[in-house]
Amino acid sequence: MPSIPPIPEPKRQREADLREAFLKEVAGIPAGEKIKNCIQCGTCTATCPVSRWMDITPRETVALFRAGMLEEILESRTIWICASCYSCTVRCPMGIQVTDLLYALKRLATDKKIYPSRFPAHALSDTFISSLYRFGRIYELELGLRYFLKTHPLKLLANIGFGLLMIIKGRMAILPKRIKKANEVKAIINRAKELEGV
Amino acid sequence: MEYAYYPGCSLEYSGKPYDKSIREVFKALGVKLRDIKDWNCCGATMYVSIDKIVACSVAARNLALAQNMGCDICAPCNSCYTILRKVNRYLAYDPEMRGKILEVLKAANLTYDTPVDVRHPLDILVNDVGLDTIKEAAPYRFDGLKVAPYYGCQLVRPEHHFDDVDDPMTMDNLLTALGADVVPFASKVRCCGGSLMTTCEEVALDLNNSILKDAEDNGAEIMVTACALCQMNLEGYQKKINKRYSQKHNMPIVFFSQLIGLALGVNPKRLGLQSMLVKPKNLKLIPKGMKVEA
């Protein structure tokens, strides 16, 4: 019988690091520890409205985590396809906070910069928070422009008509609106990052 | 009765009709909305994807600003509503995190000691104001109008806050009280995809197509929502959906507050109805007390 090759050392170390960071995130989620109660029933996958577009289903995500394959999870499109509708969370018979765990995985992926290839969905978060940082609020026109320029420039052209229609209907601002104390928001973000060491 | 109003970024522009109609309806019912001065973006589903402490601290600035106003917060956007409630929950759950967030708020000379409850206007209208009061105040009814109420996700999930997670009835009851004919609608809490319309359009188009189809199959003439992003996804992308799936959707999608406003006799323009992309048709307002012939 052929012997099973051992997991290469660098991979094991990387997995251990990811695991430690992930478990730290889990500890901060109310009822986060319930992940260990998963019975692999698949209710999360069945109830998920977008699981059929995922490369790894929500149930498989927990299975892969247990098998020590966090990196594979982070490389999957799954965590960025989750629209956070919380269907899985309210239906899980074991009370697992699936949506919040997927958020923890998104944070881990962002922190470690491990993303699925040719699937830039995570870029929206970066663009969004940059608007928040500068204006204190979201400037939708710039958000759309920057996100599509960064990811799918052709889609920008396809959406110009819709953007104009929204402007005509008074439902899109041409100029940003900065809050009076935008500096307060900046100070909060900077201080929080300082405390977190990021 | 008064509330600290947190409109959120969507309601400033893309969801402007929602903002206008909420203000008009509250005014007509004698409920005071006081704007939280200089509020900031709650971070929505985006900041939680990047950093939890930053996300919670940014959202907590709004809670801190509201705490001295002495009343609950009214947050009409489902995403703001969920995020602000979540921050309150996290603060109560994790003393370490609470300490960190309070420390961060000091950078803006803010404190947050007394938790402020965060409420959705639908909850406020039905549970604080009451269906009977609204019915009495409304000079018009929508008798015979076939409506599909669409709640979306984050209004009822993850918490059982004021309605059921699978089959919420608050909006159904409100519309029924105003005479509308609420059609059976299994997709009422099915996800519209939220920001997937930007990041993963093919998924979001499919989800919205099936929600629109469900409403049509059940005979709805109009859909009613309680969230700016759901409204935008369902209304703004019908042409794209029609092209992609060979459909003929032409479904008006309005905010529940716009319909209540009409029933209360508010001018349609003040409710932002002229800004809708799919014009609501057959919106016949029937004066209360008048019988409609079948």
Side-chain angles (χ1 to χ4, degrees):
Chain A
M1 215 172 104
S3 64
I4 300 166
I7 302 171
E9 208 50 49
K11 155 93 184 161
R12 197 177 279 171
Q13 186 52 49
R14 201 157 57 213
E15 181 65 28
D17 293 346
L18 289 175
R19 210 171 181 81
E20 197 194 324
F22 178 62
L23 291 175
K24 214 178 122 197
E25 281 284 352
V26 171
I29 298 172
E33 78 289 349
K34 288 196 178 170
I35 187 175
K36 60 177 189 269
N37 299 344
C38 176
I39 52 171
Q40 289 286 299
C41 68
T43 303
C44 46
T45 301
T47 195
C48 175
V50 291
S51 59
R52 63 197 160 105
W53 287 280
M54 289 175 172
D55 37 8
I56 296 171
T57 66
R59 179 193 62 80
E60 286 167 344
T61 308
V62 182
L64 286 176
F65 162 67
R66 285 177 172 168
M69 296 171 81
L70 259 175
E71 198 169 0
E72 281 78 355
I73 301 174
L74 300 184
E75 280 167 355
S76 77
R77 297 180 168 205
T78 296
I79 52 179
W80 300 103
I81 285 185
C82 168
S84 73
C85 79
Y86 296 95
S87 293
C88 49
T89 302
V90 300
R91 301 215 176 100
C92 172
M94 303 308 284
I96 299 167
Q97 306 294 303
V98 190
T99 314
D100 286 345
L101 291 169
L102 283 173
Y103 271 128
L105 287 165
K106 281 178 188 157
R107 290 195 289 273
L108 187 61
T110 311
D111 190 32
K112 306 287 178 193
K113 301 203 170 19
I114 304 175
Y115 300 118
S117 57
R118 280 174 290 135
F119 191 74
H122 62 270
L124 187 65
S125 312
D126 295 332
T127 321
F128 190 96
I129 64 164
S130 134
S131 180
L132 202 170
Y133 185 76
R134 285 173 298 135
F135 307 116
R137 288 187 193 165
I138 297 309
Y139 175 27
E140 287 168 332
L141 178 66
E142 189 213 39
L143 176 69
L145 284 174
R146 285 183 55 177
Y147 173 75
F148 285 121
L149 277 177
K150 219 193 276 188
T151 57
H152 313 278
L154 281 177
K155 280 200 180 161
L156 187 60
L157 290 174
N159 283 308
I160 282 179
F162 183 58
L164 283 175
L165 179 64
M166 293 300 277
I167 290 173
I168 291 166
K169 289 278 182 184
R171 291 175 66 178
M172 175 117 82
I174 298 172
L175 295 172
K177 205 185 224 177
R178 191 191 304 267
I179 68 168
K180 281 192 197 116
K181 293 184 178 166
N183 282 339
E184 254 184 45
V185 175
K186 277 186 190 168
I188 286 175
I189 295 173
N190 293 338
R191 180 77 182 112
K193 284 186 175 169
E194 200 180 285
L195 270 187
E196 287 295 275
V198 287
Chain B
M1 234 184 275
E2 65 174 35
Y3 299 88
Y5 188 51
Y6 181 79
C9 304
S10 292
L11 269 72
E12 285 203 297
Y13 290 100
S14 57
K16 192 74 198 166
Y18 194 15
D19 179 64
K20 280 184 165 178
S21 53
I22 285 287
R23 289 180 193 271
E24 288 293 337
V25 165
F26 274 64
K27 198 168 92 189
L29 292 168
V31 185
K32 205 167 171 196
L33 285 180
R34 282 161 58 208
D35 284 53
I36 299 177
K37 281 199 187 97
D38 210 39
W39 55 269
N40 60 271
C41 167
C42 74
T45 54
M46 297 298 157
Y47 229 136
V48 221
S49 312
I50 294 202
D51 188 290
K52 202 164 73 187
I53 298 288
V54 185
C56 289
S57 307
V58 164
R61 176 175 177 269
N62 300 303
L63 297 169
L65 292 176
Q67 93 178 329
N68 297 325
M69 295 172 71
C71 50
D72 292 351
I73 291 177
C74 168
C77 164
N78 288 2
S79 190
C80 303
Y81 169 76
T82 297
I83 292 289
L84 295 176
R85 290 190 66 83
K86 198 174 208 169
V87 173
N88 269 338
R89 215 162 60 239
Y90 276 23
L91 281 169
Y93 166 80
D94 186 347
E96 195 193 322
M97 196 167 141
R98 185 187 163 77
K100 275 188 187 166
I101 292 170
L102 294 182
E103 178 63 33
V104 171
L105 285 178
K106 278 189 199 157
N109 292 320
L110 290 168
T111 52
Y112 182 52
D113 318 306
T114 338
V116 185
D117 200 7
V118 182
R119 315 269 309 272
H120 194 275
L122 191 58
D123 170 26
I124 293 173
L125 287 172
V126 173
N127 298 316
D128 291 6
V129 178
L131 288 180
D132 289 339
T133 310
I134 297 174
K135 238 167 121 172
E136 229 163 83
Y140 301 101
R141 293 172 60 82
F142 292 105
D143 294 8
L145 183 71
K146 291 193 179 304
V147 186
Y150 179 70
Y151 294 76
C153 307
Q154 304 198 346
L155 179 59
V156 288
R157 293 189 297 260
E159 294 175 276
H160 294 258
H161 175 222
F162 69 93
D163 211 337
D164 191 71
V165 295
D166 284 314
D167 190 14
M169 288 301 289
T170 312
M171 210 162 15
D172 294 53
N173 295 339
L174 183 61
L175 295 166
T176 309
L178 295 174
D181 186 358
V182 175
V183 303
F185 188 41
S187 301
K188 58 159 80 161
V189 289
R190 193 87 179 148
C191 181
C192 77
S195 59
L196 287 181
M197 195 57 94
T198 308
T199 57
C200 205
E201 197 183 67
E202 63 275 27
V203 175
L205 290 178
D206 189 288
L207 295 172
N208 284 280
N209 182 35
S210 66
I211 295 166
L212 288 164
K213 258 164 89 174
D214 190 21
E216 281 159 15
D217 291 348
N218 285 297
E221 305 167 73
I222 188 167
M223 275 176 71
V224 177
T225 72
C227 171
L229 192 53
C230 300
Q231 197 280 338
M232 168 78 98
N233 280 347
L234 283 163
E235 187 194 40
Y237 295 84
Q238 287 186 29
K239 275 190 188 147
K240 258 192 189 167
I241 293 171
N242 288 345
K243 211 168 150 191
R244 195 181 177 104
Y245 301 98
S246 311
Q247 298 290 318
K248 285 179 183 157
H249 300 304
N250 187 30
M251 177 67 77
I253 318 282
V254 298
F255 295 104
F256 73 97
S257 42
Q258 290 180 303
L259 280 196
I260 307 175
L262 285 175
L264 289 169
V266 181
N267 180 321
K269 271 206 167 158
R270 298 190 73 96
L271 299 168
L273 277 156
Q274 75 285 5
S275 300
M276 308 320 276
L277 306 177
V278 181
K279 283 263 169 297
K281 327 162 272 266
N282 307 326
L283 264 185
K284 266 179 262 149
L285 288 170
I286 295 143
K288 192 153 64 181
M290 197 171 113
K291 279 254 160 69
V292 187
E293 284 174 41

